[in-house]
Each structure stands twice: as C-alpha cells, then as structure tokens.
Amino acid sequence: MLETIPGVVVAAVIAAALLAYYRLRSGRPARSFADGGTASVTVGLTGTEKPAGLLRWFTTVDHKDIGLLYILFGTAAALWGATDAMMIRTELLVPETAIWNVETYNAVFTTHGFTMLFFFVTPVFTGIANYVLPLLLGADDLAFPRINAIAFWLLPPSLLLVRGGLITDVMGMVLGVLPLDVSALEALEPVGMGWTMYTPLSVEMANPQISVALLGLHLSGVATTMAAINFIVTVLTERPDDLGWDRLDIFSWNILVTSGLILLAFPLLGSTLIMLLLDRNFGTTFFAIEGGGPMLWQHLFWFFGHPEVYILVLPAFGLISLILPKFCGRRLFGFRFIVYSTIAIGVMSFGVWAHHMFATGMDPRLRASFMAVSLAIAIPSAIKEFNWIATMWNGRLRLDAPLICIIGGLSTFVVGGITGVFLAAVPVDLVLHDTHYVVGHFHLIVVGVIPLAMIAASYYWFPLITGRMYNQRLARVQSLLLVVGSFVTFLPLLVLGYEGMPRRYGVYPAEFITLNQIASLGALVLGVSVVLWLVNMVQSARVGPVVRDADVWNLKETGQFTREWQWFEERLEERRDGSTRPESSPERTRAGEDTDSDSDSDSDSGSD
C-alpha cells in the first residue's frame, strides 16, 4: 500500500508536520531552568542557551556535561563487565562446568577484559578529568570542545561492536521465533580468543565477530587518543599566567603524563589491530610463521599493553595525591618527588613490556635487561607510597568515606605492587606465569587501587557536581565492604597461583575448590558494595541534603580550598543572589521556587 503513495505527497506531509512543530514552539514562552539557562523560544541552527531535555545531552560541548556522559557510560560498562566477572566466579564455585559451558566461559572472560580495560577505567578517568581539569586550571573549557564531544560519541558504538557477538546472539534467539532469516546474526558469536588476542588463534578462528570486535577496539583507541590530545593542549595553553608548572596541581600533572602515554601507545595498538585484521581477512602474513610470526604480535601488543597498565593507574594515583591531604589536615608531602616519580613511571613504562614474555624462550640476555627495568620501575611507585604515608603521619585524619577508600587503596597497592616485583624476577615468573597468581596481582591493582580512587573522587566531588550531600554513614559502610571484598576475592588467587592453578580455565582439580569458593564469596561482597554505592549516589542526587556552604570538607581551615571549590562557591553565591531578585513573571517565579526548595542543587548545579 505504501509504495502506491506518490513521493511528493509524503514530502508534503513531512513538511507540514515540521512547519506545525516550529510554529508551536515559536508560540511558547521561554522556559527557565534551575541551572539558570532557558530553552530558546525559536528553533534554529544557532543559539547560545543549552537546549532542554535529551537534546542537551546529544548536542552538548560543555566539558562538564561531557564529563558526566563519560562517567555514566563508564559506570554502565563497569556494571556490564562486573556481570561477566560474577558469571566467572559463579562458574568457579565448583570444579566442573556446572553452569556455563566452556565456550561461554571463554567468551565471558574475553569480553570482561575488553570491557573493563577499554570501556570502564579509561572513560571514567577521562570523564573526571573532563569535569574538573578546566576548573582546576581556571579555564572556561577544554581546548577543543567539539573534538571532546566527538571523542565521547565514538565510544558507545565501539562498545557495541566489541560486545556485538552477545547482542546478536540474543537478537537471533528473540527473532528466531519469527519467520525471519537470522543466520547472519547467528554467525556473529561472542569472541572467545582471550583479551590478549594472541596469534595464531585470533587469526585462525572462523568467528567473523572477531573482526567486528577488532574494529570496535580500533575505534575506541581513536576516541581515547583524541581525548588525550585535548588534555595535553588544554594543560599547555589554557593555564592562566599565574599558574606555572611549579603550582600545577598533582591531578593535572598525572593527566598530562597519562595523555602522553596514550599518545605514544594507542596509535601502535591501532596499527597492530589493522595488521591483525588484514591477516584475518586479506591473507597477509604479518603474524604468520612465514612473516613476523606469533612473537611479533606479543611484542607489539605488550609494547602497548604495559604502558596501558600505567594509563589506567596514573590517574588513580593523581586522585589519591590530590584528595588524601584534604582529609589529613596538611599539604601533600614531597610534592615535587611525586611529580618526578610520575614522569619516571611514564618514561620507564615503555621499557618493561617483555616481562610478559619471559616464558616464550627469548634470549636470556634480553630477559635479564627487562627484569632489571621491571624491578627498577617499582622505585618511583614506592616513592609515591611512602610520600602518601608521610602525608598521613601526624596528620589530623578524618575517617570520612573518601579517606577510607584511599587508605584501602594504599593497602591493596602494597600487596599488588610487591607481588608484581616478584613476577618481575625471571625465575619466579617462569614458575607463576599464567597461573591465578598473575590474576590476583593484576586485580589487586585494577579492582583495588583504581575503583577505590574513583569512588573516593565520587564522594569528594559529589557535592560540587550535584549540589547535594550523600548518606555519609552508608558511604563509610560501602567503602569498608569494597576494601574487604577486594582482599577476600584476590588474596586467595595468589595462593591458588602458588599451588599451580592455571588461569583462564573453567574446569579445575577438586583440591582448589575451597579457595575458589572463598574468592567467589569475596566477589559477592564486592557486588554488594557496588550496589550500595550506586543506590547512595542515585538517591542522594535526587533527595540528598542541599549544600548551602561550598566548604563542605573544611578546606579553608587548612588552606586547601582549591580552584574547583572556589568555582562552586561562586555558583552558590550567584544562585543565592538570583533567588533574592524581584520576580518578573509567573514562569520565572516557579523556576525560582524550584531552585530554592528542591532544585537548588540539582544535577546541573555543578555542571553548567
């Protein structure tokens, strides 16, 4: 029937509908919002106000809005990846494959690694930096606002491409009940090659979803590189004249070094992924025996992969260094040495990649040199740890939720870092390589230090972002559960590794069952902690107590009332001044009443 309608009629109907919509919008008065902005009375291609509703979030170039989008996206990806982790720990409750089959288990730990490394940690830290970096620098915005927006909007399709096998699998099952051909969807199975994508397995597996996932990873790398360039240019060019390098805050230093690592490491990953795509689809021999061989993939991947570890953890170190002194009542001890150690970690991170390859049979002389650098990189990390401890020494500690998270992060960093030193020694690594010891070591960093720093930041800046205060008692309980859950989950893995249990196996000997069940119990505690954090954040953003005084943490008393809190104080003063002005219209009156009573500190109070 539709094909019999002339196209001109369809065009006329669409034009009439658009005209009616424009006339309806132009006849409405301007709406006022609690953030002080208005929705324009006309619809056009230009305007200075933020549009209302969802259109604001799809079109914004405000660094604060984009920062919130990054954080929300990273949180959603983290919950998805955490679901994978809970599936893994559920399967490992028993020695045999009682819940998922082997193929599902392989796919789950593969997508878990991709999701957490590329779509959780980096986007969340990018979001935090988006929001607070210009405020810390006293800048209006990042150097390239539109590039900033583009970089974010590349990430959602990247995640869908990487995890598309699961999505198409579910779609195929749903649409399979209908008289439709779903063979194309069923051909895209979840990838199960492991997150390190070692060749020749990743070349020879027939699953076409692998090529789709490689494209998604490449796209995410492009987005991350764009964000890094933006941060570097912002720090170099957007600082005021009175903010020299010696006065630059520690978080900005860490973001600058991290962005430099991204700029050097991610383009290499992108090139390596393209080479793997060409091997899979066009018959090239980059990683074939007659070409570079499988060892070439490992060298290229880990040349990216170990700097990536510091790309993940350096922003966490920056948050710890920034927030810790605020709850100790004193300045950061050894500021310059912490900056120097950050730069040293960045430089040395490109000289340790081959310690992931000690078991491949490389030349012993090469192994010795990489062992030396791998041991040496622990020195700047230790400088940070001892300076943090010295900052707390004789300080007036306030055991609020941010400090509990940070102390827990320092504790997990000690264990995770020292176990890394053991793995840097060739004789030890040859015994423990590819065992659960490596999993425990790595996760004490990426589940211990990194999320604890993120959650400390969420509690510290929550009043600034939302204008409301969270439930502090619940926050303390949640922080303690997260710390305890991290140790209960991953310390047993270190013991399992010593006893010889290999990683990536869904089936294991019965003598390992007790420690695996303890680890799974710890994972459940972590899950409860995450749910408590999520409930606290959402509910407090809705109905938490309104913040009237910008000095939430008594920072003026110790002279640490930094630029972002000064900006927040100015916003609160502007809001108070605006609420005392004469009312000019009924619409403005309603907006002012909302501001005073309920929306004084709605989610835009710190994000406009």
Side-chain angles (χ1 to χ4, degrees):
M1 174 181 176
L2 292 177
E3 57 268 19
T4 62
I5 301 176
V8 65
V9 175
V10 176
V13 171
I14 295 174
L18 290 173
L19 179 62
Y21 173 72
Y22 289 152
R23 289 186 63 84
L24 178 64
R25 287 295 302 267
S26 63
R28 291 180 178 178
R31 288 186 58 201
S32 300
F33 294 90
D35 64 357
T38 60
S40 176
V41 298
T42 59
V43 177
L45 297 178
T46 60
T48 57
E49 303 90 354
K50 291 181 183 179
L54 288 176
L55 185 60
R56 164 186 173 176
W57 299 100
F58 284 115
T59 60
T60 183
V61 293
D62 185 342
H63 70 96
K64 294 179 288 296
D65 290 347
I66 295 173
L68 292 176
L69 288 172
Y70 266 114
I71 292 170
L72 291 174
F73 171 81
T75 302
L79 295 175
W80 201 350
T83 303
D84 295 335
M86 293 306 297
M87 292 174 66
I88 293 170
R89 291 311 322 170
T90 303
E91 176 58 50
L92 293 176
L93 277 169
V94 292
E96 65 277 359
T97 54
I99 301 174
W100 323 115
N101 58 35
V102 175
E103 291 76 15
T104 301
Y105 184 85
N106 290 342
V108 165
F109 79 70
T110 299
T111 53
H112 169 71
F114 286 153
T115 304
M116 293 309 221
L117 293 178
F118 294 99
F119 300 104
F120 161 45
V121 178
T122 303
V124 169
F125 281 140
T126 302
I128 295 173
N130 253 278
Y131 201 104
V132 303
L133 184 65
L135 303 181
L136 291 168
L137 297 175
D140 293 332
D141 206 317
L142 293 180
F144 306 115
R146 287 176 175 79
I147 291 178
N148 194 28
I150 294 171
F152 169 75
W153 287 110
L154 289 177
L155 285 178
S158 302
L159 178 60
L160 295 179
L161 288 172
V162 170
R163 301 208 54 141
L166 175 63
I167 298 171
T168 55
D169 200 23
V170 173
M171 290 175 60
M173 289 188 292
V174 173
L175 298 177
V177 300
L178 303 175
L180 298 173
D181 182 14
V182 295
S183 58
L185 295 175
E186 292 175 345
L188 297 174
E189 302 172 354
V191 294
M193 58 189 171
W195 69 271
T196 54
M197 300 172 282
Y198 278 179
T199 58
L201 181 63
S202 57
V203 174
E204 296 177 355
M205 291 184 75
N207 181 8
Q209 172 58 29
I210 293 177
S211 297
V212 177
L214 294 177
L215 289 172
L217 292 174
H218 184 74
L219 192 61
S220 73
V222 172
T224 305
T225 304
M226 292 169 68
I229 294 172
N230 213 346
F231 289 144
I232 292 172
V233 177
T234 299
V235 174
L236 293 178
T237 65
E238 297 291 314
R239 289 178 293 116
D241 294 336
D242 62 340
L243 184 60
W245 291 110
D246 58 329
R247 298 182 58 196
L248 187 65
D249 66 277
I250 192 65
F251 182 66
S252 298
W253 268 112
N254 280 65
I255 291 297
L256 181 63
V257 174
T258 301
S259 300
L261 297 184
I262 290 171
L263 205 58
L264 295 173
F266 269 85
L268 175 68
L269 174 67
S271 303
T272 307
L273 293 174
I274 294 297
M275 293 161 67
L276 182 56
L277 275 169
L278 293 174
D279 273 16
R280 283 185 53 82
N281 298 285
F282 296 99
T284 56
T285 58
F286 289 111
F287 306 116
I289 296 298
E290 57 271 25
M295 284 288 287
L296 176 61
W297 169 267
Q298 292 197 35
H299 279 292
L300 293 175
F301 178 82
W302 287 117
F303 189 82
F304 151 81
H306 206 80
E308 164 69 357
V309 172
Y310 296 103
I311 288 169
L312 301 178
V313 80
L314 282 180
F317 290 165
L319 290 173
I320 291 173
S321 300
L322 181 75
I323 299 172
L324 176 63
K326 310 298 191 294
F327 294 87
C328 297
R330 55 180 301 184
R331 300 300 181 101
L332 180 65
F333 183 87
F335 175 89
R336 292 196 177 190
F337 288 97
I338 291 183
V339 172
Y340 296 152
S341 68
T342 301
I343 297 172
I345 288 173
V347 173
M348 297 173 70
S349 67
F350 287 98
V352 299
W353 80 87
H355 72 222
H356 297 274
M357 304 166 57
F358 284 161
T360 59
M362 66 167 58
D363 190 308
R365 292 167 294 181
L366 281 177
R367 289 196 308 199
S369 63
F370 279 104
M371 180 180 73
V373 181
S374 300
L375 292 171
I377 202 172
I379 296 174
S381 300
I383 289 173
K384 292 182 180 295
E385 181 75 23
F386 286 119
N387 277 270
W388 293 330
I389 294 173
T391 301
M392 292 189 289
W393 191 261
N394 286 334
R396 291 180 297 164
L397 304 185
R398 294 176 49 191
L399 287 177
D400 291 318
L403 185 58
I404 294 173
C405 288
I406 288 174
I407 293 175
L410 301 190
S411 304
T412 57
F413 181 53
V414 168
V415 182
I418 289 177
T419 52
V421 173
F422 295 156
L423 288 173
V426 173
V428 177
D429 184 80
L430 292 177
V431 175
L432 298 177
H433 183 75
D434 265 348
T435 67
H436 265 68
Y437 184 93
V438 180
V439 180
H441 149 70
F442 181 65
H443 281 77
L444 281 167
I445 302 297
V446 297
V447 181
V449 178
I450 292 173
L452 282 166
M454 289 177 177
I455 291 177
S458 72
Y459 287 140
Y460 177 63
W461 280 313
F462 185 85
L464 181 144
I465 295 174
T466 67
R468 296 183 183 272
M469 196 62 186
Y470 52 85
N471 186 323
Q472 297 192 61
R473 179 177 299 177
L474 180 59
R476 293 188 189 98
V477 172
Q478 181 271 327
S479 301
L480 288 170
L481 283 177
L482 186 57
V483 175
V484 172
S486 297
F487 280 113
V488 175
T489 303
F490 302 114
L491 286 181
L493 301 189
L494 299 176
V495 181
L496 285 169
Y498 274 127
E499 293 183 353
M501 180 176 171
R503 64 194 296 193
R504 301 191 180 99
Y505 280 67
V507 181
Y508 59 86
E511 60 262 28
F512 298 136
I513 187 171
T514 302
L515 288 172
N516 270 299
Q517 289 178 344
I518 293 174
S520 295
L521 177 63
L524 181 61
V525 174
L526 288 175
V528 172
S529 174
V530 170
V531 171
L532 290 179
W533 174 81
L534 198 61
V535 170
N536 198 0
M537 293 293 98
V538 173
Q539 189 68 1
S540 298
R542 290 180 59 247
V543 296
V546 174
V547 174
R548 303 291 182 183
D549 183 2
D551 192 11
V552 179
W553 306 114
N554 298 324
L555 302 179
K556 291 180 179 178
E557 182 181 340
T558 57
Q560 300 186 82
F561 195 68
T562 45
R563 290 176 184 263
E564 80 275 23
W565 291 107
Q566 295 170 18
W567 170 85
F568 182 50
E569 186 174 52
E570 293 172 1
R571 289 298 309 275
L572 289 181
E573 291 174 353
E574 291 172 4
R575 192 171 295 265
R576 281 193 293 268
D577 293 342
S579 65
T580 59
R581 291 174 183 170
E583 299 162 356
S584 58
S585 69
E587 187 73 20
R588 176 64 71 180
T589 300
R590 285 193 292 272
E593 290 170 354
D594 288 343
T595 300
D596 288 338
S597 61
D598 185 48
S599 301
D600 221 4
S601 42
D602 95 345
S603 59
D604 294 329
S605 66
S607 59
D608 182 42

